Amino acid sequence: MSVEETGVWTETYPKEPCPFCGKTVAIRISEILIVDKKYWKVRIFDDSGCPLSAMFERGLRMGSAGEVCAVLKKDWHEIVETVSNMPVCPECGRSPVCRYSTNLDRWIILCEKGHLRTDEAFVLSAMRNWNKKVGQYVCDNQNQRLGQCLTSLWNQGYANDEELPEFMRQSWREKHANWERK
């Protein structure tokens, strides 16, 4: 198989800086010919040495230089937006730590206190998993706390629903309607 680096390359600069260090980012694509088909090898970097290339899915890209650069800039924008909007750990309120493990060849996002952790081969997947885990954690704990609150109020034997907060009145009415039928 014939593989040839042609020496042709294009560089583009997304407007968003690196979300980890704040440095200017460059995306460079280099042309490669494989059996007379043109592909682009991607490298993304900044001056501080953040492992940014690992944020993009591996592999060669096809298309014109302009098309490939446009897609990469769009992908970079999504990465920056996702990093900027990462929810804090719902247990301790700290921002998660996001890092690339060269030993595992995976991106790891975790709470430094050990409450939640996720890892994936690609940074966006790891971030999306973190967001899902935080959402599920919050939902599970809200449901558990609401159930405990309702049980406590029901066990206190309120005579009517006027003493309950608005969001609990429907549950109280349903419970007492069921008791009256028995």
Side-chain angles (χ1 to χ4, degrees):
M1 179 185 325
S2 169
V3 177
E4 176 189 347
E5 288 197 37
T6 64
V8 174
W9 58 273
T10 300
E11 201 163 87
T12 187
Y13 300 91
K15 61 182 173 185
E16 299 97 345
C18 175
F20 303 108
C21 69
K23 302 281 184 175
T24 301
V25 172
I27 299 173
R28 180 179 293 166
I29 59 172
S30 304
E31 185 180 68
I32 295 177
L33 294 176
I34 301 176
V35 190
D36 297 329
K37 287 190 179 182
K38 182 168 57 170
Y39 298 92
W40 297 96
K41 180 171 70 173
V42 176
R43 180 172 175 246
I44 181 167
F45 56 94
D46 63 18
D47 294 334
S48 70
C50 289
L52 302 177
S53 289
M55 290 183 162
F56 289 97
E57 293 184 20
R58 293 170 193 83
L60 302 174
R61 309 283 176 122
M62 291 182 71
S64 70
E67 292 168 342
V68 171
C69 285
V71 168
L72 292 171
K73 285 173 88 171
K74 180 180 150 293
D75 290 350
W76 177 251
H77 176 74
E78 185 179 356
I79 289 168
V80 171
E81 283 295 311
T82 304
V83 169
S84 300
N85 295 314
M86 293 280 293
V88 297
C89 173
E91 189 66 32
C92 66
R94 294 174 185 232
S95 294
V97 175
C98 178
R99 63 177 166 240
Y100 182 74
S101 170
T102 53
N103 293 342
L104 299 173
D105 191 27
R106 298 181 77 69
W107 283 89
I108 300 170
I109 300 177
L110 59 106
C111 166
E112 288 182 307
K113 294 283 189 175
H115 298 118
L116 293 173
R117 178 181 197 254
T118 186
D119 64 271
E120 290 288 332
F122 302 109
V123 72
L124 278 177
S125 300
M127 289 177 195
R128 288 180 186 128
N129 274 350
W130 173 265
N131 292 349
K132 285 179 191 172
K133 281 190 173 191
V134 167
Q136 187 62 50
Y137 184 93
V138 168
C139 184
D140 289 349
N141 283 331
Q142 283 177 342
N143 288 340
Q144 180 182 8
R145 289 182 185 135
L146 178 60
Q148 290 169 347
C149 185
L150 284 172
T151 301
S152 172
L153 289 169
W154 286 339
N155 290 337
Q156 292 175 13
Y158 283 100
N160 64 50
D161 65 349
E162 297 303 317
E163 300 172 40
L164 296 174
E166 181 63 37
F167 75 97
M168 294 183 176
R169 288 183 184 164
Q170 183 63 34
S171 296
W172 186 91
R173 288 178 188 138
E174 289 171 5
K175 175 187 180 256
H176 282 44
N178 289 338
W179 281 0
E180 292 170 5
R181 288 183 201 144
K182 291 179 183 181

